[in-house]
Amino acid sequence: MITRKIPGRGGSGSALRTGGGRARLRMLLALPAAAAAAAALVACSSAGASPAPSSSGSSSPAAAAANTVKTATIAGVTVLTNSKGVTLYSFAPDTSTASKCDATCAQSWPPVQGPVTAAGVTGTFGTITRSDGSTQATFDGHPLYTFVGDTAPGQNKGNGLNAAGGLWHEITTSGTAGSSSSGSGGSGY
């Protein structure tokens, strides 16, 4: 750093001024610009929870994982789960073309966004259009849901519940409603 004497104005003595002022000024001006750029980058990267559709038809690995269904064995029954291992359910009042779970029901039983795929699962995956216009995944004609009460993979706390106007059952790999141990029973459709 360079130090220079600057003659004082009307007073006694002089003031000291450190050199390199221009470089320091540039750095001070660059810091807010860098912070603004970083904030903009963070805002853009977290702006949406769902990936933008791809016009080329290919999808990112994260999008593919989100739309993948797999299986798990819970209480001796092989059931469908989402990509995170959370059990998938069907709602007895639903039809193969319409969900009867909207509004408050859909808050407790979030619909699985479709379409989905699953390697090695025998059955037919499809989609329906919900009353809000969103697309919901189906398996062998059953619209698919998760349950907010299942807080970890391998749970099936929603199985056999009579809630929101009907019975809920885990979806087995055979496409029927399950009847494993956690719920109050029922044998499906």
Side-chain angles (χ1 to χ4, degrees):
M1 200 178 302
I2 302 169
T3 306
R4 298 185 278 177
K5 281 191 175 188
I6 300 175
R9 290 186 174 185
S12 64
S14 60
L16 292 178
R17 179 174 181 181
T18 57
R22 288 183 191 209
R24 186 172 163 166
L25 179 61
R26 275 188 238 133
M27 186 184 317
L28 288 174
L29 291 175
L31 286 175
L41 179 62
V42 168
C44 288
S45 68
S46 63
S50 60
S54 172
S55 60
S56 67
S58 63
S59 60
S60 68
N67 292 332
T68 300
V69 173
K70 55 187 187 174
T71 62
T73 301
I74 301 173
V77 177
T78 304
V79 299
L80 294 180
T81 68
N82 67 10
S83 62
K84 296 178 182 176
V86 176
T87 303
L88 300 183
Y89 296 91
S90 65
F91 187 41
D94 285 351
T95 68
S96 62
T97 59
S99 168
K100 304 296 183 191
C101 179
D102 291 312
T104 304
C105 174
Q107 292 174 359
S108 296
W109 301 89
V112 175
Q113 303 253 321
V116 297
T117 60
V121 175
T122 303
T124 304
F125 288 95
T127 60
I128 61 169
T129 301
R130 296 180 51 78
S131 62
D132 65 3
S134 64
T135 303
Q136 183 174 0
T138 63
F139 179 68
D140 283 348
H142 302 289
L144 301 175
Y145 305 85
T146 58
F147 177 50
V148 296
D150 290 343
T151 57
Q155 295 179 339
N156 63 346
K157 295 176 183 177
N159 191 45
L161 288 181
N162 189 350
L167 285 173
W168 293 90
H169 293 287
E170 61 195 4
I171 294 287
T172 67
T173 55
S174 64
T176 60
S179 59
S180 67
S181 62
S182 80
S184 59
S187 60
Y189 290 94

